[in-house]
Amino acid sequence: QTFLLELTSKNGALKKYQSGDLLVVRPEEDNDDRYYSMTVRPDKRTALISVRKHEYGIVSNYLARTEIQDRLTVSFQHNHSFHFPENAHQVIMICNGTGIAPFIGMIEANRFKVPITLFWGGRNEDSRKLYQSIIDPLKSKGYIKQIRKAYSQNMDKKYVQDVLTEDQLFISMSLAGQGHVLICGSLIMQKGVEKVLDEITQKNLKQPRSDFQELGLIKSDCY
């Protein structure tokens, strides 16, 4: 039900884009754009998206039927507010499911090895296998420091916000030291995560989450 799709641009269209920008698909059936937060691979020719297939989803089912060498007509859109922060000394990435897609490219581009902690929520260990062959080598190379996982269908049922609560001192210290927090995934997850972050900052830093958002230290890109 969830798959990775890699698209190679033949005309250099990706050269001015980066991970966190959007790949846009407009189906003929309804002319309503669908947006996918994407990874732009270091070669600047390849875009990677993660797609969850919905039973009646026009675009997700269309993309699921694509085969190698198929040609797709898509467009791209800048998403300047959701790029890897410049001059960051620590970054926390929070996502669930397909929300990991833009973070893959951000981690791949982390050549200076800024400490990155990835909080990722999925259904079970099988959900992680889709990304394992990409993420694990990046951790081995030191491009990502730590991975914290939450599985909602395991015996010890956890959501990503539960793991955030467990690591609240780390998150508080990071924000207090001008660390950055990026959130990507479902709107339901975003609401839960922002509620927990607000509780953490109020309790440990005596400030509302909104203060850190206004400083640009907490950014979201959720759908």
Side-chain angles (χ1 to χ4, degrees):
Q1 297 302 306
T2 302
F3 58 93
L4 293 173
L5 183 64
E6 194 170 66
L7 303 173
T8 301
S9 170
K10 300 295 185 183
N11 59 6
L14 282 168
K15 288 182 179 179
K16 59 183 179 180
Y17 295 94
Q18 57 182 289
S19 297
D21 286 332
L22 306 172
L23 182 146
V24 187
V25 183
R26 175 177 288 188
E28 294 179 358
E29 288 87 338
D30 59 15
N31 268 337
D32 191 10
D33 290 343
R34 310 296 201 276
Y35 297 89
Y36 293 91
S37 192
M38 66 177 174
T39 267
V40 176
R41 282 294 177 53
D43 63 8
K44 287 290 186 178
R45 295 181 62 246
T46 309
L48 179 73
I49 60 173
S50 183
V51 183
R52 183 180 178 187
K53 189 169 70 170
H54 298 275
E55 185 177 359
Y56 300 109
I58 295 171
V59 173
S60 63
N61 280 279
Y62 163 67
L63 295 177
R65 292 192 297 270
T66 58
E67 298 180 358
I68 293 175
Q69 300 300 328
D70 280 358
R71 295 180 65 87
L72 279 69
T73 300
V74 302
S75 59
F76 304 103
Q77 183 172 307
H78 289 292
N79 189 16
H80 296 294
S81 63
F82 201 73
H83 293 158
F84 193 83
E86 293 183 6
N87 303 317
H89 62 86
Q90 187 174 60
V91 178
I92 293 172
M93 298 177 172
I94 304 170
C95 57
N96 70 329
T98 60
I100 196 174
F103 292 152
I104 291 173
M106 293 182 193
I107 296 168
E108 285 181 329
N110 185 25
R111 303 291 177 174
F112 295 108
K113 299 184 178 179
V114 174
I116 294 174
T117 298
L118 174 68
F119 290 85
W120 180 75
R123 293 186 176 185
N124 49 47
E125 186 65 29
D126 285 341
S127 304
R128 179 176 176 268
K129 289 178 181 177
L130 182 62
Y131 313 102
Q132 191 169 356
S133 64
I134 301 174
I135 292 294
D136 286 359
L138 292 172
K139 187 174 186 300
S140 298
K141 292 177 182 177
Y143 287 11
I144 180 170
K145 184 176 181 181
Q146 182 180 196
I147 302 172
R148 298 282 279 120
K149 302 179 288 290
Y151 297 131
S152 61
Q153 293 187 359
N154 274 11
M155 291 293 290
D156 60 337
K157 183 177 181 178
K158 283 184 181 180
Y159 293 96
V160 69
Q161 48 264 47
D162 297 321
V163 183
L164 294 175
T165 301
E166 292 173 2
D167 286 1
Q168 60 180 289
L169 292 180
F170 164 68
I171 293 167
S172 300
M173 290 176 64
S174 179
L175 285 171
Q178 302 294 298
H180 291 257
V181 175
L182 303 177
I183 306 166
C184 189
S186 69
L187 288 171
I188 293 175
M189 184 273 306
Q190 179 188 13
K191 290 178 181 178
V193 164
E194 289 183 342
K195 180 175 183 292
V196 168
L197 289 178
D198 199 45
E199 292 170 355
I200 290 172
T201 57
Q202 294 272 17
K203 176 183 175 182
N204 299 313
L205 302 175
K206 311 305 179 187
Q207 291 180 258
R209 180 196 76 247
S210 57
D211 283 0
F212 298 94
Q213 287 177 312
E214 289 172 7
L215 292 171
L217 295 178
I218 299 178
K219 297 179 179 180
S220 302
D221 185 42
C222 297
Y223 300 94

